[in-house]
């Protein structure tokens, strides 16, 4: 139950090494920041997908304390406003692929004909080489099942990305140290012809200094899409540390022309990995860094920036920020909201819930969650939450605009007899009107206090 949260686990490590204790103590000062966008675990290799009015974010998962690429499963988050992200848990892991032995690395999800296809690189247990597998689901949040029972393609290289052109032809791109593509069939789980290697030329992908074996900037992580009739490929460039570069072409297979840097080398991760989407009339650039406590090259975190293309279609230079993307619209506090919908959280974890979906867990005294931009309108009269506790419980304090602001509501959470034995508690609210960031601060005794599955405000009559 309590094995996931990086901020929780880093507390013990912090007390050993000192520096992280300082980082944890100053974390409330960053409460208004929204990058990285997930704080309950380390996430990497973002693959955003726009579907049905939401952005679904598919990520890898760096295990706590990793000193290499220790990755066992993939994760899904979603948002309709780009700041409050709902955790959908892990719908797929290495165990999904019976033939795979290790390495749940950078994948990509695409929707076609009402199904969702997740292409991932894993180690083939029979050959010991990296191979590309594909899983399928009827839902963007899974669960996903192996579509083939064997690799889709295997040549020892990684980082698949799928692009479906306007004519319906789907392309799978992947590769490190090379760059490959193949044409997927309509079923998305088979292909026609042989894999084709894309020429890595300085004209197409820039020049790298001092590495005759890798003469161009292309390193890994291709992301291909089409905009205004022009094809873009965005990729991790050089090594190490990596920056993000891009090239363009008149067609999906080239010829490619190098265009320059999108995101310079920065942050505390020696890798980077990009995903680019348009959503509600805006453009967004996803990437990863090592910005959370304990973060680094093997403990990475996904972040996002809003950007605008230059008038000629070129990229501006995008830099990493703590602020992240601005909120689109507001959050409705009078609709039932998942407890694991979070703009920023400190100390909490998430886990599968016996009450359905995912719940927030491992809540200890002093932990808190922020949701951003809740519109209370004329005012709220009461607050309810679905809770469970195997201990004596604690309190949920509802605060506005600050983690240490005066509470507008305090709900007592009793012991319910088990971590998955659920009750609904309610309490009156005073002073919640208009639009505010909402902080749920948790108080009580020592150790884990309670779990939260969902919450909801009621409006003043």
């Amino acid at each position: 139950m309590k094995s996931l949260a990086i901020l929780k686990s880093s507390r013990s490590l912090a007390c050993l090494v000192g520096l992280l204790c300082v980082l944890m103590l100053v974390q409330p000062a960053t409460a208004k920041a929204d990058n990285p966008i997930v704080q309950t675990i380390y996430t990497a290799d973002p693959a955003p997908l726009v579907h049905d009015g939401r952005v679904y974010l598919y990520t890898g998962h760096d295990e706590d304390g990793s000193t290499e690429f220790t990755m066992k499963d993939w994760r899904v988050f979603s948002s309709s406003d780009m700041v409050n992200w709902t955790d959908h848990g892990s719908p797929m892991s290495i165990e999904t692929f019976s033939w795979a032995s290790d390495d749940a690395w950078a994948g990509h999800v695409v929707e076609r004909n009402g199904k969702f296809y997740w292409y991932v690189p894993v180690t083939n247990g029979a050959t010991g080489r990296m191979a590309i597998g594909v899983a399928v689901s009827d839902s963007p949040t899974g669960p996903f099942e192996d579509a083939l029972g064997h690799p889709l393609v295997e040549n020892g290289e990684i980082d698949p990305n799928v692009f479906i052109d306007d004519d319906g032809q789907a392309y799978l791109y992947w590769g490190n140290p090379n760059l490959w593509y193949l044409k997927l069939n309509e079923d998305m789980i088979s292909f026609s012809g042989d894999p084709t290697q894309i020429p890595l030329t300085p004209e197409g992908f820039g020049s790298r200094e001092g590495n005759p074996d890798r003469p161009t900037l292309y390193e890994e992580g291709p992301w291909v899409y089409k905009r205004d009739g022009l094809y873009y490929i965005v990729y991790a460039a050089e090594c190490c540390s990596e920056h993000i570069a891009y090239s363009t072409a008149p067609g999906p297979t080239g010829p490619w022309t190098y265009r320059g840097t999108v995101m310079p080398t920065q942050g505390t991760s020696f890798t980077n990995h990009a995903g680019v989407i348009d959503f509600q009339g805006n453009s967004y650039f996803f990437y990863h860094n090592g910005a959370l406590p304990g973060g680094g090259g093997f403990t990475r975190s996904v972040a996002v920036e809003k950007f605008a293309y230059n008038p000629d279609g070129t990229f501006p230079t995008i830099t990493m920020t703590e602020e992240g993307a601005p909120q689109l619209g507001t959050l409705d506090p009078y609709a039932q909201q998942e407890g694991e919908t979070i703009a920023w959280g400190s100390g909490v974890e998430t886990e599968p819930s016996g009450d359905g979906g995912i719940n927030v867990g491992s809540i200890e005294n002093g932990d808190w969650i922020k949701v951003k931009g809740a519109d209370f309108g004329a005012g709220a009269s009461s607050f309810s939450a679905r809770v469970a506790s195997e201990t004596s419980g604690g309190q949920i304090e509802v605060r506005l605009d600050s983690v240490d602001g005066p509470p507008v509501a305090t709900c007592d959470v009793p012991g319910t007899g088990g971590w998955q034995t659920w009750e609904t508690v309610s309490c009156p609210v005073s002073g919640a009107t208009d639009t505010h960031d909402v902080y749920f601060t948790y108080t009580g005794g020592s150790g884990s206090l309670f779990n939260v599955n969902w919450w909801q405000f009621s409006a003043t009559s």
Side-chain angles (χ1 to χ4, degrees):
M1 169 182 168
K2 302 175 178 64
S3 62
L4 298 180
I6 58 177
L7 299 183
K8 189 78 73 179
S9 65
S10 66
R11 287 175 179 169
S12 298
L13 180 61
C15 292
L16 294 174
V17 302
L19 175 61
L20 290 184
C21 276
V22 174
L23 293 174
M24 293 299 293
L25 287 172
V26 302
Q27 185 169 339
T30 66
K32 292 186 178 180
D34 295 310
N35 266 337
I37 59 179
V38 176
Q39 308 87 41
T40 52
I41 58 171
Y42 293 115
T43 54
D45 304 320
L49 170 70
V50 176
H51 173 72
D52 197 22
R54 295 185 71 83
V55 175
Y56 290 87
L57 178 63
Y58 302 87
T59 77
H61 171 206
D62 290 336
E63 295 290 333
D64 293 4
S66 294
T67 56
E68 56 187 23
F69 295 118
T70 306
M71 307 175 77
K72 302 175 182 178
D73 63 357
W74 296 268
R75 297 299 177 107
V76 184
F77 306 86
S78 74
S79 178
S80 61
D81 63 9
M82 299 301 296
V83 296
N84 296 300
W85 291 87
T86 301
D87 188 343
H88 300 285
S90 173
M92 192 170 77
S93 70
I94 287 292
E95 285 69 31
T96 301
F97 303 94
S98 61
W99 49 271
S101 61
D102 207 353
D103 300 324
W105 287 2
H108 183 232
V109 176
V110 66
E111 185 272 335
R112 189 165 203 174
N113 298 328
K115 293 186 178 295
F116 299 83
Y117 297 88
W118 201 335
Y119 301 83
V120 291
V122 293
T123 297
N124 185 342
T127 66
R129 297 197 307 171
M130 294 302 296
I132 307 301
V134 56
V136 64
S137 175
D138 294 326
S139 166
T141 58
F144 285 78
E145 297 180 353
D146 188 356
L148 294 172
H150 57 79
L152 171 64
V153 63
E154 178 177 344
N155 65 359
E157 301 195 39
I158 60 173
D159 290 0
N161 169 253
V162 171
F163 163 68
I164 302 176
D165 208 348
D166 297 338
D167 62 2
Q169 178 62 60
Y171 297 84
L172 171 68
Y173 304 85
W174 80 103
N176 178 343
N178 303 296
L179 177 58
W180 303 81
Y181 78 89
L182 56 77
K183 291 185 176 182
L184 291 168
N185 294 328
E186 177 74 19
D187 64 9
M188 302 299 286
I189 60 172
S190 64
F191 58 89
S192 300
D194 296 322
T196 300
Q197 190 170 343
I198 295 175
L200 294 177
T201 65
E203 295 77 17
F205 295 91
S207 297
R208 185 185 313 211
E209 301 294 332
N211 189 344
D213 295 327
R214 300 290 291 263
T216 73
L217 292 176
Y218 176 82
E219 183 72 19
E220 59 188 354
W223 184 275
V224 179
Y225 63 99
K226 185 179 183 180
R227 179 180 182 272
D228 292 342
L230 188 64
Y231 295 80
Y232 292 72
I233 181 169
V234 180
Y235 48 90
E238 217 160 11
C239 187
C240 287
S241 297
E242 294 175 343
H243 65 276
I244 302 297
Y246 78 111
S247 304
T248 61
T253 62
W256 296 98
T257 300
Y258 175 64
R259 296 299 184 186
T261 297
V262 180
M263 176 172 278
T265 299
Q266 54 194 288
T268 56
S269 169
F270 59 85
T271 66
N272 203 344
H273 191 107
V276 184
I277 59 167
D278 286 340
F279 179 60
Q280 293 193 18
N282 303 300
S283 298
Y284 296 94
F285 183 87
F286 290 79
Y287 59 96
H288 68 226
N289 59 26
L292 286 182
F298 302 111
T299 43
R300 299 159 293 179
S301 295
V302 170
V304 64
E305 308 294 343
K306 179 185 174 183
F307 76 98
Y309 292 91
N310 296 320
D312 62 357
T314 58
F315 268 95
T317 299
I318 301 173
T319 58
M320 300 180 183
T321 72
E322 292 182 353
E323 291 75 21
Q327 185 172 9
L328 297 173
T330 56
L331 181 141
D332 182 2
Y334 303 121
Q336 184 173 294
Q337 300 287 348
E338 295 299 317
E340 64 277 9
T341 296
I342 300 171
W344 193 272
S346 175
V348 298
E349 304 180 10
T350 62
E351 62 185 2
S353 175
D355 205 33
I358 303 294
N359 66 253
V360 176
S362 195
I363 294 171
E364 296 182 0
N365 183 60
D367 292 345
W368 53 269
I369 284 174
K370 177 185 81 170
V371 295
K372 193 168 184 177
D375 184 0
F376 290 99
S381 61
S382 65
F383 169 78
S384 299
R386 187 74 167 164
V387 297
S389 177
E390 192 172 272
T391 62
S392 57
Q395 294 81 38
I396 302 173
E397 297 177 340
V398 182
R399 304 170 186 267
L400 302 183
D401 299 322
S402 171
V403 71
D404 54 4
V408 297
T410 300
C411 266
D412 292 324
V413 177
T416 65
W419 294 117
Q420 295 296 323
T421 303
W422 295 93
E423 295 182 9
T424 301
V425 297
S426 298
C427 54
V429 175
S430 176
T433 61
D434 302 322
T435 299
H436 299 274
D437 296 344
V438 180
Y439 289 78
F440 301 108
T441 60
Y442 307 114
T443 61
S446 61
S448 293
L449 303 178
F450 49 85
N451 296 339
V452 177
N453 192 14
W454 54 257
W455 57 265
Q456 184 173 18
F457 288 85
S458 296
T460 302
S461 299

